[in-house]
Amino acid sequence: MIWIVGNKGMLGTELELRLSELGMESFGTDRDCDIADPAALEAAAAGKRVDWIVNCSAYTAVDRAEEEEELARRVNAAGVGALARLAARLGASLVHVSTDYVFDGAGTRPYREEDPIGPACAYGRTKAEGEALLRAAWDRHFIVRTAWLYGRHGKNFVYSMLKLMAEREELGVVADQVGSPTWARDLAGAIARIVESGSAAYGTYHFTDEGETSWYEFAREILRLALEARLLAREPRLRPLSTDQYPSKVRRPAYSVLSKEKIRSVLGIAPPDWRESLGRFIRDLRERGMPAA
Ligand SMILES: NC(=O)c1ccc[n+]([C@@H]2O[C@H](COP(=O)([O-])OP(=O)(O)OC[C@H]3O[C@@H](n4cnc5c(N)ncnc54)[C@H](OP(=O)(O)O)[C@@H]3O)[C@@H](O)[C@H]2O)c1
């Protein structure tokens, strides 16, 4: 039995769907079981044979974390430690999702798993601490770092862009930060494969969709596909901005590309190209409509 912790979030929802498509038995918890409360975790697992735990829960409000670092730490660090200790007690393998924000973003080639970390913001610090607590508590773990996630459920860049593009004549988008847009469904598929394979190649892995781009180019592709799918009635102008021109509390990584070499060679998981996945996501939106807010 697989326990999805955070099954109501963007990734957790996709993972629940993917596991059910594969006929794999799972159950989920979210805010109803506070990850930082060991007694609540114990109670959620009681009476069940938990073979795998996948942690999709997190404090993900990157800007707000600057003012609420302790709250973020409670979920992203202490909570992960508590979950890891329970996994160890149950003898369950644990997949934990982490982030490109553990790196400082000053790199010039795709970050590898063993590259030194250096988080530059509160959110990144708390996620890095969570990784360390997990490694110390339980060795049967997979840490899967990802970046630039979008998906059907929850707030994300694609939805924000579609909304702004429908409302405005012109919008500016940051053009000097580079990363890899990643469909949550692709990441859910990769996690499901790790669990399904019963792999014992524990350790840290990177998974994003393949290829790299800037937020500006990502927005241009969203616009192109949305016009093609008739999700937008007219075409707003897009203007490239530099990071300095875009007000933000957080210094976001300039370079966030993660190397997928290890996950490909060790686990045999090959991420799809980001443009193809974005195309599938937009077609899915056209066919099914947007979920109710
Ligand atoms: N989104 C991205 O671009 C991105 C990029 C890199 C890495 N990641 C990582 O990917 C993972 C999944 O992200 P996501 O975007 O799917 O996140 P998400 O949509 O924010 O989902 C996280 C879920 O965890 C819940 N949660 C928060 N605090 C909790 C607690 N104390 N106990 C139990 N559940 C709690 C949230 O509830 P509420 O909604 O009520 O808070 C939410 O349902 C996270 O580890 C994140 O750090 C995300």
Side-chain angles (χ1 to χ4, degrees):
M1 172 83 94
I2 305 151
W3 177 9
I4 307 170
V5 178
N7 71 328
K8 301 224 179 323
M10 185 159 64
L11 176 62
T13 312
E14 291 289 355
L15 182 64
E16 197 163 71
L17 183 67
R18 186 67 196 129
L19 293 179
S20 121
E21 284 167 359
L22 292 168
M24 295 166 77
E25 217 187 336
S26 73
F27 73 102
T29 59
D30 200 89
R31 284 279 183 173
D32 50 314
C33 170
D34 180 3
I35 183 186
D37 176 352
L41 292 176
E42 282 284 352
K48 302 186 179 77
R49 211 197 112 188
V50 179
D51 305 301
W52 285 83
I53 302 173
V54 183
N55 182 27
C56 301
S57 78
Y59 178 110
T60 53
V62 173
D63 286 277
R64 200 154 20 100
E66 293 299 311
E67 274 121 47
E68 298 184 345
E69 186 161 350
E70 282 317 308
L71 257 182
R73 178 165 286 115
R74 188 176 172 280
V75 184
N76 294 345
V80 177
L83 198 57
R85 286 190 296 279
L86 178 66
R89 200 186 66 62
L90 298 174
S93 301
L94 176 57
V95 181
H96 170 65
V97 182
S98 190
T99 172
D100 56 312
Y101 276 73
V102 299
F103 296 115
D104 64 6
T108 51
R109 54 127 180 98
Y111 283 103
R112 293 194 277 260
E113 288 78 354
E114 65 278 13
D115 284 338
I117 60 167
C121 67
Y123 167 74
R125 278 192 294 278
T126 63
K127 292 291 287 186
E129 287 166 26
E131 288 189 3
L133 289 171
L134 167 52
R135 289 191 190 98
W138 182 223
D139 50 7
R140 276 173 46 191
H141 69 254
F142 292 87
I143 293 172
V144 183
R145 294 189 188 127
T146 192
W148 289 33
L149 273 192
Y150 64 89
R152 185 165 176 80
H153 303 274
K155 282 191 207 149
N156 61 73
F157 183 78
V158 180
Y159 284 169
S160 304
M161 283 297 116
L162 289 174
K163 183 169 181 292
L164 291 173
M165 285 167 181
E167 290 168 0
R168 295 196 189 166
E169 296 288 320
E170 180 181 296
L171 62 144
V173 186
V174 172
D176 57 3
Q177 293 170 17
V178 175
S180 308
T182 301
W183 192 11
R185 186 175 296 182
D186 294 334
L187 175 58
I191 293 172
R193 279 194 56 188
I194 295 175
V195 174
E196 194 181 21
S197 71
S199 172
Y202 303 112
T204 302
Y205 293 87
H206 289 169
F207 181 95
T208 61
D209 283 340
E210 204 55 86
E212 56 182 72
T213 192
S214 67
W215 292 112
Y216 172 71
E217 290 298 333
F218 184 14
R220 283 187 14 136
E221 188 65 2
I222 294 166
L223 177 59
R224 189 185 73 75
L225 290 163
L227 288 169
E228 200 176 273
R230 298 187 200 286
L231 290 177
L232 289 172
R234 55 173 188 85
E235 184 172 350
R237 274 186 308 280
L238 293 190
R239 202 162 31 89
L241 295 181
S242 68
T243 297
D244 300 341
Q245 290 173 300
Y246 187 83
S248 171
K249 289 188 193 116
V250 172
R251 191 166 73 78
R252 290 188 150 71
Y255 185 82
S256 288
V257 182
L258 302 177
S259 166
K260 273 75 72 183
E261 192 41 47
K262 183 177 173 191
I263 201 160
R264 213 181 287 113
S265 60
V266 179
L267 299 178
I269 293 172
D273 178 79
W274 76 265
R275 285 178 197 272
E276 280 170 29
S277 284
L278 182 63
R280 292 209 308 276
F281 177 70
I282 298 282
R283 279 194 292 282
D284 184 68
L285 277 186
R286 185 190 57 201
E287 279 155 27
R288 292 201 286 157
M290 288 214 194

